[in-house]
Amino acid sequence: SEAAKILGRRRATLFDLLNEKSPLTPEMVLRIEKAFHLNMDILLCMQAWYDANEMRKHARKIKDVPL
């Protein structure tokens, strides 16, 4: 509850983020940077790495495109 208050968001919004029910948006990353003095660029890179890793888990479901 306190973290949600610090971030200026509802507790349910933070709960959904932490439980992977909603994405980490650039706006939320900026709020985290301002509230907890973390680096926005690093957090966004971590999110991009996570997203790419999750997508690679599903790569076999996507057909190759012939050149």
Side-chain angles (χ1 to χ4, degrees):
S1 294
E2 186 66 24
K5 182 178 177 183
I6 290 168
L7 293 170
R9 289 291 174 240
R10 295 178 316 120
R11 198 178 92 186
T13 302
L14 186 55
F15 180 84
D16 286 346
L17 173 66
L18 295 174
N19 287 287
E20 300 179 19
K21 293 181 180 181
S22 65
L24 180 62
T25 64
E27 179 188 343
M28 182 60 88
V29 174
L30 180 58
R31 288 174 180 276
I32 292 169
E33 178 184 67
K34 287 178 169 266
F36 301 109
H37 308 291
L38 298 172
N39 186 294
M40 181 178 179
D41 297 326
I42 291 172
L43 294 173
L44 288 172
C45 285
M46 291 170 63
Q47 183 65 47
W49 179 88
Y50 174 82
D51 292 341
N53 191 53
E54 288 300 302
M55 186 54 58
R56 289 195 192 285
K57 291 178 183 179
H58 304 286
R60 68 180 115 79
K61 296 177 187 176
I62 300 172
K63 294 182 180 182
D64 289 336
V65 177
L67 296 176

